Amino acid sequence: MDIEKILNKKILNRSDLIYLMKIRSAEDIEKIFKKAYEIKLKNIGNKVYYRGLIEIGNKCIKNCLYCGIRRDNKNIEIFEMTKKQILKSARWIYENGFASIALQSGERQDKEFVDFIEDVIVGIKKISNNKLGITLSLGEQTYETYKKWFDAGAHRYLLRIESSNKIIYNSLHPHDPLHNHNTRIECLKDLRKVGYQVGTGVMIGLPGQTTEDLVDDILFYEKMDIDMIGMGPYILHDETPMGKEFKEKVLSVDKRVELGLKMIALTRIYLKDVNIAATTALQGLDPMGREKGLKAGANILMPTATLEEHKSKYQLYNDKPGIFDSAIESKEYLDKSVKNIGDEIIYNNWGDSPHFKKKCLK
Ligand code: SAH
Ligand code: SF4
């Protein structure tokens, strides 16, 4: 089959995506990236939007087998940012022209946490004259909690499915009611019902994951009518069960970066108008990972604005990049590299997913 012919098709099917995903020649992979960038320009433009990411706490009730801040990792110092600290970071983000903030943490479902987040959301809205857009990435919650946070002013939510293949999902998590693939799907549906712009994503290069699984992840985004996608390579963390078991067996760094970029490109080619992040994990494996992500069709960057003193305690995986940079250094570095590849950073604009906006107009 001719790669150009497939890339020029109006609508690709599963076999086309699998074919493209399996391509190995560097020259042909470049053609895929080029096409994805073209589709980005047509549907979104060369615009890149920032989300200032604050990691607000590392206490987690879950025990995901891949994650460095899982409940059973006792080698980490627990931290929780106070409301005052979070608002201080939010003010910094606002004053630096980032129109949008993302709050992330380990998962907690207790009432104290739910009320705390509600209070913080209201506080962020207040200090920014209602201007800062708020994205949450705080895991699985009840419909009522999602609604409470939405009513307080959050409008986007990221909850990764990790893998759309239930068998893989189960291999990444303990087998108990707290780690359940169906619950995660129900949460994504609840988020949609409440009215959020819904984001999900997967880890790429997981043990046992096939090309077909990755393509099915893209089809899952379509089926769930997802607005924003944040996905990146799986990276080992030494203090986790998977980090120990797969130390010698995980795909090479180059292969995981290649797959990560191909996933961005094929998602852009297939879904066209969604927001796609070039994630920190991609940069974790390749110093130019985020720039390459933008060239392969991504349009969102999430520079970390977590307080200096806490960054090293929020290590989801080994050698998480940026932890020794100050927030301002991260921003300046990103400004420069985005310009270098020909994209433009848009300040003071929420950068909502065009996919979501179109739905609102229907
Ligand atoms: N507790 C929340 C948010 C923090 S974790 C949640 O789980 O949704 C955010 C994301 O980090 C996870 O969805 C997962 O995809 C990613 N992550 C965790 N450990 C990782 C690892 N070892 N390699 C790559 N990504 C990882
Ligand atoms: Fe907790 Fe999220 Fe890490 Fe799972 S991935 S252990 S829920 S922080």
Side-chain angles (χ1 to χ4, degrees):
M1 228 189 311
D2 182 4
I3 175 175
E4 314 269 352
K5 219 172 182 178
I6 296 181
L7 287 174
N8 285 324
K9 275 174 84 170
K10 275 224 157 61
I11 300 171
L12 280 76
N13 58 33
R14 184 171 182 269
S15 320
D16 295 330
L17 291 171
I18 293 172
Y19 179 84
L20 294 173
M21 199 69 201
K22 286 192 169 157
I23 278 179
R24 291 307 318 265
S25 115
E27 198 185 323
D28 284 345
I29 291 175
E30 233 7 86
K31 284 184 191 156
I32 299 176
F33 295 164
K34 207 169 149 240
K35 183 73 189 178
Y37 192 74
E38 251 173 62
I39 291 182
K40 167 171 123 172
L41 288 186
K42 198 160 145 206
N43 289 275
I44 317 231
N46 68 339
K47 302 178 177 71
V48 174
Y49 298 96
Y50 277 151
R51 315 274 178 251
L53 176 69
I54 314 183
E55 294 142 343
I56 60 173
N58 62 0
K59 211 181 213 179
C60 190
I61 57 168
K62 291 216 171 157
N63 234 344
C64 308
L65 303 177
Y66 44 86
C67 177
I69 64 169
R70 63 198 297 273
R71 190 181 67 212
D72 282 356
N73 183 6
K74 305 292 180 209
N75 285 340
I76 46 170
E77 192 190 329
I78 293 291
F79 79 93
E80 282 167 328
M81 280 174 79
T82 62
K83 181 180 170 190
K84 202 167 154 208
Q85 287 171 329
I86 299 174
L87 292 186
K88 189 172 165 220
S89 294
R91 188 168 284 122
W92 181 90
I93 286 170
Y94 177 57
E95 284 167 358
N96 276 278
F98 294 85
S100 204
I101 187 174
L103 303 181
Q104 193 179 82
S105 76
E107 193 169 305
R108 284 180 56 186
Q109 300 168 342
D110 54 287
K111 188 174 180 315
E112 190 191 335
F113 180 73
V114 171
D115 291 344
F116 174 74
I117 296 296
E118 183 185 27
D119 195 29
V120 164
I121 295 168
V122 171
I124 294 174
K125 284 289 173 191
K126 210 182 269 170
I127 58 141
S128 68
N129 287 327
N130 263 340
K131 289 217 177 87
L132 262 185
I134 304 177
T135 304
L136 302 177
S137 172
L138 305 171
E140 292 172 21
Q141 305 290 341
T142 61
Y143 180 91
E144 289 68 35
T145 298
Y146 287 146
K147 174 103 175 61
K148 193 190 265 263
W149 292 345
F150 184 80
D151 290 342
H155 70 134
R156 294 193 275 241
Y157 204 103
L158 290 173
L159 181 72
R160 286 188 176 180
I161 191 71
E162 314 300 358
S163 169
S164 62
N165 178 332
K166 200 180 192 155
I167 297 170
I168 296 185
Y169 185 90
N170 289 338
S171 73
L172 308 175
H173 297 96
H175 300 167
D176 63 27
L178 203 56
H179 304 80
N180 184 311
H181 199 239
N182 289 340
T183 309
R184 223 152 169 93
I185 295 176
E186 288 310 311
C187 282
L188 288 170
K189 289 183 184 162
D190 281 348
L191 288 163
R192 164 84 54 228
K193 259 187 252 156
V194 171
Y196 284 95
Q197 289 175 52
V198 181
T200 195
V202 296
M203 283 182 287
I204 300 160
L206 290 164
Q209 192 179 41
T210 62
T211 308
E212 285 76 8
D213 290 322
L214 289 171
V215 166
D216 287 339
D217 290 336
I218 300 178
L219 300 180
F220 175 85
Y221 304 152
E222 180 189 34
K223 186 173 126 206
M224 298 295 289
D225 198 13
I226 292 300
D227 305 301
M228 336 179 273
I229 289 142
M231 54 191 166
Y234 163 60
I235 305 179
L236 299 167
H237 186 293
D238 291 339
E239 313 266 351
T240 60
M242 278 177 59
K244 290 188 179 119
E245 185 178 349
F246 296 104
K247 207 175 170 83
E248 313 296 336
K249 293 180 244 166
V250 78
L251 289 179
S252 72
V253 166
D254 287 354
K255 185 71 196 162
R256 274 177 287 155
V257 171
E258 180 192 309
L259 284 176
L261 293 171
K262 270 187 180 165
M263 278 295 278
I264 291 178
L266 295 185
T267 303
R268 173 62 69 210
I269 291 170
Y270 190 68
L271 296 180
K272 299 189 168 55
D273 60 359
V274 291
N275 274 348
I276 305 178
T279 54
T280 319
L282 199 53
Q283 189 208 358
L285 292 188
D286 180 338
M288 292 302 285
R290 282 190 293 204
E291 292 77 356
K292 289 181 185 169
L294 295 178
K295 281 306 254 184
N299 67 319
I300 301 287
L301 291 176
M302 300 177 77
T304 316
T306 302
L307 284 188
E308 206 57 18
E309 66 200 89
H310 294 322
K311 279 190 177 178
S312 64
K313 300 174 210 148
Y314 199 84
Q315 286 276 52
L316 304 181
Y317 41 83
N318 289 344
D319 305 323
K320 193 160 171 256
I323 56 165
F324 298 115
D325 300 344
S326 70
I328 190 77
E329 272 163 357
S330 306
K331 178 172 177 272
E332 278 169 10
Y333 170 77
L334 277 175
D335 275 352
K336 234 189 268 157
S337 48
V338 170
K339 275 190 202 118
N340 279 346
I341 64 147
D343 278 354
E344 182 193 358
I345 303 147
I346 306 296
Y347 287 100
N348 303 309
N349 182 317
W350 279 6
D352 282 338
S353 150
H355 183 77
F356 183 81
K357 280 195 198 153
K358 280 181 208 158
K359 270 188 284 191
C360 297
L361 292 175
K362 270 184 200 160

